[in-house]
């Protein structure tokens, strides 16, 4: 009798799921209604889009990226206890807020209004002005800023490999940035987000590889007499230490940042219910392994001598502290994953370009669409590469982007969207937890932005265009 009841229940659930799927298909934007950006870049058609596992690959590439090699440096401003607490809080809050964002997207999809972009969500929940003048611009700034940062970091890793073989070589940083820019130029032509799924699976293994290499090198140097004397004290006067704390929070927020959750969820085949949660579980399994291993081993080995990029600590005045081939391999893994991360963060830019210049009524690979696609995407990569070559102090600017961009998009807006969409009771724990997260991280974002701008002002005297740093 019990099995008969279970069978009936499962049949009802299955039918309800099919009804929900049919309802979604009828109410979602049709092939004709979709603009070219949604149609060609986000591939928001049932027959073309991916599984929760593909979603996990996209999420991992967008979050678990080489900026995690800056975590030991963030610890130099925080110390052991505050550093580990910040990492744990960052993981818990972002996992929670990304799930809230996914639930809001699922809710609107079930009502027949599937949102494919962050600004679409903001338009509906906050009003069109918020989408057009706030969420859209900061998302574009964050994503394009990430492309510039990846290009610069790729150039720096290439230069590190070059200096290992040619310690007195004459090639400058901007030349390596341009070389990396050519790689990005080729990858940028990959037509859609969904087309990146195999690249992003490789990217997942690459981030595990260079994190393992970074941790192994840190343990080796930390146990040898080659490394610096371990000192975990905070450097600078009281003012520098206070601003340093908020600068570190901005670095950690940038490391956990994503900014493209709706665009990633748009690549999942409907019904989307529960699929994003599984994708996030894949991503955060990799994240916990990599972030905590690199942060703890790197800070343990180098203490307050940890550099802005951990790989820089493996050289002492140009002399390698681990075998040269090991540094070369670690940098190579990092370069390859940077190219994947850069292409993922190009997708919102590509979507805007496609929506502006492509014709949704023509075929994706028709001359009418291919020519403007190649020209516009190439131009966007050329601009990003030029900025990276001209402004090699982009690390300071990235902290500003983290404070102004990633914190609102990934820590503050998801909880606001959830409360406005589901309207939980003001007596409920969820309501007050969300309000607390919004208030605390709004305050942190403002202070972190001030700290990041202050750092730019302090470092401005050392800035030179096309500097060879």
């Amino acid at each position: 009798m019990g099995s008969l009841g279970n069978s009936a229940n499962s049949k009802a659930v299955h039918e309800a799921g099919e009804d929900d799927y049919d309802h979604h298909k009828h109410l979602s934007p049709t092939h004709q209604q979709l603009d070219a950006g949604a149609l060609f870049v986000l591939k928001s058609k049932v027959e073309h889009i991916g599984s929760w596992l593909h979603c996990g690959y996209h999420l991992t590439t967008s979050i678990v990226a080489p900026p995690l090699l800056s975590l030991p440096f963030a610890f130099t401003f925080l110390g052991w206890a505050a550093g580990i607490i910040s990492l744990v809080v960052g993981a818990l809050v972002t996992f929670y807020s990304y799930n809230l964002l996914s639930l809001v997207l699922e809710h609107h999809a079930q009502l027949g209004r599937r949102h494919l972009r962050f600004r679409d969500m903001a338009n509906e929940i906050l009003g069109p002005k918020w989408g057009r003048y706030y969420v859209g611009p900061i998302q574009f700034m964050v994503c394009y800023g990430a492309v510039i940062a990846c290009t610069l970091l790729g150039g720096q890793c290439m230069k590190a490999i070059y200096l290992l073989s040619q310690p007195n070589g004459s090639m400058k940083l901007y030349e390596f940035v341009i070389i990396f820019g050519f790689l990005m130029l080729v990858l940028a032509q990959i037509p859609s987000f969904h087309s990146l799924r195999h690249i992003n699976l490789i990217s997942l293994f690459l981030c595990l590889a260079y994190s393992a290499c970074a941790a192994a090198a840190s343990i080796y140097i930390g146990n040898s007499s080659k490394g610096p004397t371990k000192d975990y004290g905070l450097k600078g006067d009281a003012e520098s230490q206070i601003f340093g704390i908020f600068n570190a929070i901005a670095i950690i927020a940038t490391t956990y940042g994503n900014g493209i959750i709706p665009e990633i969820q748009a690549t999942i085949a409907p019904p989307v219910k529960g699929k994003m949660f599984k994708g996030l579980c894949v991503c955060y399994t990799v994240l916990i392994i990599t972030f905590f291993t690199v942060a703890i081993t790197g800070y343990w080995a180098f203490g307050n001598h940890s550099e802005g990029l951990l790989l820089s600590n493996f050289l002492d005045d140009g002399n390698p502290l681990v075998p040269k081939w090991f540094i070369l391999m670690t940098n190579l893994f990092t370069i390859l994953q940077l190219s994947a991360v850069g292409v993922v963060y190009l997708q919102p830019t590509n979507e805007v370009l496609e929506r502006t210049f492509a014709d949704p009524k023509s075929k994706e690979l028709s001359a009418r669409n291919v020519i403007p696609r190649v020209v516009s995407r190439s131009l966007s990569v050329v601009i990003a590469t030029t900025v990276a070559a001209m402004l090699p102090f982009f690390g300071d600017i990235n902290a500003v982007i983290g404070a102004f961009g990633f914190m609102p998009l990934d820590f503050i807006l998801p909880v606001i969207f959830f409360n406005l969409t589901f309207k939980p009771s003001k007596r409920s724990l969820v309501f007050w937890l969300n309000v607390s997260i919004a208030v605390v991280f709004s305050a942190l974002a403002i202070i972190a932005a001030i700290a990041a701008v202050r750092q730019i002002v302090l470092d401005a005297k050392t800035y030179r265009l096309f500097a060879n740093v």
Side-chain angles (χ1 to χ4, degrees):
M1 188 75 178
S3 64
L4 190 64
N6 288 342
S7 172
N9 283 344
S10 64
K11 186 179 177 187
V13 168
H14 177 71
E15 285 172 356
E18 282 188 344
D19 288 347
D20 178 55
Y21 179 71
D22 290 339
H23 173 73
H24 176 88
K25 274 208 305 190
H26 289 306
L27 287 171
S28 298
T30 62
H31 188 117
Q32 284 77 24
Q33 290 170 319
L34 287 170
D35 60 62
L39 199 59
F40 300 143
V41 177
L42 301 178
K43 285 288 188 191
S44 294
K45 294 184 291 177
V46 172
E47 66 269 24
H48 275 143
I49 42 186
S51 68
W52 63 267
L53 205 50
H54 298 149
C55 163
Y57 306 157
H58 298 322
L59 285 165
T60 305
T61 300
S62 60
I63 300 173
V64 188
L68 72 88
L69 298 170
S70 300
L71 289 173
F73 175 67
F75 272 41
T76 64
F77 299 107
L78 297 168
W80 276 117
I84 289 171
I85 289 167
S86 298
L87 266 193
V88 171
V89 169
L92 292 174
V93 172
T94 51
F95 186 78
Y96 174 70
S97 64
Y98 294 155
N99 272 298
L100 291 191
L101 212 50
S102 175
L103 289 172
V104 172
L105 286 162
E106 283 178 14
H107 175 75
H108 286 291
Q110 285 167 0
L111 295 175
R113 297 188 301 276
R114 189 174 186 189
H115 297 310
L116 309 176
R117 294 163 281 231
F118 223 127
R119 64 178 179 276
D120 296 344
M121 288 184 78
N123 282 347
E124 174 143 337
I125 298 166
L126 301 175
K129 286 185 179 175
W130 281 92
R132 179 173 295 176
Y133 299 113
Y134 180 66
V135 173
I138 64 167
Q139 187 196 29
F140 183 83
M141 176 187 77
V142 160
C143 294
Y144 203 64
V147 174
I148 296 168
C150 286
T151 309
L152 173 59
L153 203 49
Q156 288 174 334
C157 290
M158 284 182 170
K159 185 187 170 193
I161 291 173
Y162 171 72
L163 290 177
L164 277 177
S165 57
Q166 301 283 337
N168 300 314
S170 60
M171 285 184 74
K172 302 288 190 288
L173 174 62
Y174 69 83
E175 296 174 77
F176 294 103
V177 169
I178 292 166
I179 293 168
F180 188 85
F182 275 109
L183 172 62
M184 288 290 295
L185 197 65
V186 174
L187 292 174
Q189 308 310 326
I190 295 172
S192 72
F193 210 147
H194 185 56
S195 310
L196 299 175
R197 63 196 182 281
H198 303 304
I199 289 174
N200 289 345
L201 171 60
I202 296 166
S203 165
L204 187 152
F205 289 112
L206 285 169
C207 69
L208 287 169
Y210 67 69
S211 297
C213 290
S218 297
I219 292 167
Y220 173 79
I221 295 166
N223 280 324
S224 72
S225 57
K226 298 176 183 177
T229 307
K230 294 183 179 70
D231 180 3
Y232 305 113
L234 302 181
K235 292 189 285 190
D237 56 22
E239 183 191 345
S240 298
Q241 287 180 11
I242 290 167
F243 278 108
I245 288 167
F246 291 107
N247 216 16
I249 288 169
I251 291 168
I252 290 171
T254 304
T255 309
Y256 276 108
N258 177 284
I260 50 174
I261 291 287
E263 285 80 359
I264 291 174
Q265 187 149 325
T267 67
I268 304 175
V272 293
K273 192 167 178 62
K275 292 178 183 175
M276 195 68 167
F277 177 76
K278 291 179 185 176
L280 280 164
C281 288
V282 171
C283 171
Y284 272 74
T285 302
V286 177
L287 181 149
I288 288 164
I289 292 167
T290 53
F291 281 29
F292 285 83
T293 306
V294 169
I296 290 167
T297 57
Y299 187 58
W300 169 78
F302 303 106
N304 59 21
H305 295 286
S306 299
E307 299 274 356
L309 185 67
L310 181 61
L311 305 185
S312 305
N313 281 108
F314 302 161
L315 295 169
D316 181 23
D317 289 330
N319 301 313
L321 302 178
V322 289
K324 281 186 179 181
W325 63 265
F326 193 85
I327 295 177
L328 187 146
M329 180 176 71
T330 310
N331 275 289
L332 191 60
F333 290 151
T334 308
I335 289 165
L336 291 172
Q337 207 229 357
L338 278 166
S339 63
V341 176
V343 175
V344 163
Y345 278 104
L346 263 178
Q347 296 311 306
T349 309
N350 290 348
E351 185 272 321
V352 170
L353 294 171
E354 205 87 359
R355 186 160 45 89
T356 307
F357 299 113
D359 178 9
K361 292 172 186 170
S362 300
K363 289 186 177 178
E364 182 183 9
L365 299 178
S366 65
R368 163 65 187 84
N369 286 332
V370 168
I371 293 167
R373 179 182 301 134
V374 170
V375 172
S376 60
R377 291 185 181 192
S378 300
L379 194 59
S380 79
V381 171
V382 167
I383 293 168
T385 304
T386 305
V387 173
M390 283 175 62
L391 310 175
F393 42 82
F394 195 75
D396 285 352
I397 298 169
N398 227 20
V400 177
I401 289 172
F404 280 110
F406 280 123
M407 277 190 158
L409 288 177
D410 297 326
F411 292 82
I412 301 164
L413 285 176
V415 294
I416 293 171
F417 284 176
F418 184 88
N419 277 8
L420 290 175
T421 300
F422 291 103
K423 298 180 173 56
S425 165
K426 289 183 181 175
R427 294 180 181 179
S428 67
L429 177 63
V430 170
F431 177 84
W432 287 107
L433 176 62
N434 290 349
V435 168
S436 302
I437 289 171
V439 170
V440 168
F441 282 93
S442 294
L444 284 176
I446 292 165
I447 301 167
I450 294 167
V453 171
R454 173 183 175 271
Q455 195 62 44
I456 286 179
V457 172
L458 290 176
D459 293 347
K461 57 182 175 290
T462 64
Y463 292 166
R464 283 191 340 276
L465 293 180
F466 297 101
N468 186 36
V469 291

